[in-house]
Amino acid sequence: MKKYAKVIIVIIVVLIVLAVLAFCAVPKYPQEFVTYNKDKVFTNKYVSKLEGVVSCEYEKIDKAYVFLGKKYSLGPTDPAYRGIITLSEEEGKKIFNSYDWHLDDEFVPEIGSLDTANLKDDEWYFNYDFDNDYFYMGLGYVRFNGKDTIIFDQQMH
């Protein structure tokens, strides 16, 4: 009987060490998994009443922990989205004239891996009523250059 007790103790110690090592291997923060898209799926699904959309280039960001090569998320998680919506000049003018815009002179248009070089010299405006009227999400920001471009970084509620 004593012979088996030593074996059982060794097995228990080995299992405890393995469990501790496994839990230490879990990353402290989730990783971002970014999917690049260039379609109107985002504007069709998450933006209302926005007409004159010429193009929409965006990144969908899912967050998950990676453990033993598999993705795990704690509870249901919604993706975040960041990107650029290009409008027709007519729609841009209509939107700019429909709201009392506020200049955001500190905003720098940098959006993940999307190319914003041609947008660096634009002035950027915000209006929370516009955000609420058009976007179904609410955490993040929306900026408009007053002409034809909307930049957004949004997460679902």
Side-chain angles (χ1 to χ4, degrees), residues 3 9 13 33-34 36 38 43 50 59 88 90 96 103 110 119 129 134 146 156:
K3 185 169 41 169
I9 291 173
V13 169
F33 297 92
V34 179
Y36 173 80
K38 193 169 186 173
T43 55
L50 192 59
E59 295 176 338
S88 67
E90 291 173 357
F96 192 69
L103 179 64
E110 293 180 4
L119 303 173
D129 290 333
Y134 284 87
M156 301 298 288

Side-chain angles (χ1 to χ4, degrees), residues 46-155:
Y46 297 113
V47 184
S48 69
K49 303 188 298 185
L50 192 59
E51 298 175 12
V53 175
V54 175
S55 66
C56 183
E57 180 180 15
Y58 63 97
E59 295 176 338
K60 176 182 174 191
I61 303 101
D62 292 298
K63 292 185 179 183
Y65 294 93
V66 177
F67 181 65
L68 299 175
K70 293 187 178 186
K71 297 178 189 176
Y72 296 95
S73 56
L74 300 175
T77 58
D78 293 318
Y81 296 89
R82 58 187 175 220
I84 304 167
I85 300 172
T86 304
L87 305 171
S88 67
E89 287 184 33
E90 291 173 357
E91 183 69 12
K93 194 177 290 186
K94 178 180 135 191
I95 289 172
F96 192 69
N97 292 329
S98 298
Y99 292 91
D100 181 24
W101 294 94
H102 307 281
L103 179 64
D104 185 350
D105 53 3
E106 295 181 9
F107 181 72
V108 177
E110 293 180 4
I111 309 161
S113 63
L114 302 179
D115 183 16
T116 58
N118 62 332
L119 303 173
K120 297 282 187 199
D121 295 330
D122 288 353
E123 289 186 332
W124 294 97
Y125 301 90
F126 68 95
N127 181 288
Y128 298 122
D129 290 333
F130 170 78
D131 298 359
N132 292 330
D133 289 346
Y134 284 87
F135 285 80
Y136 292 138
M137 297 179 268
L139 304 173
Y141 66 83
V142 176
R143 295 295 181 268
F144 177 50
N145 71 350
K147 299 178 277 188
D148 62 357
T149 304
I150 297 171
I151 291 179
F152 62 91
D153 188 341
Q154 295 281 293
Q155 184 165 342

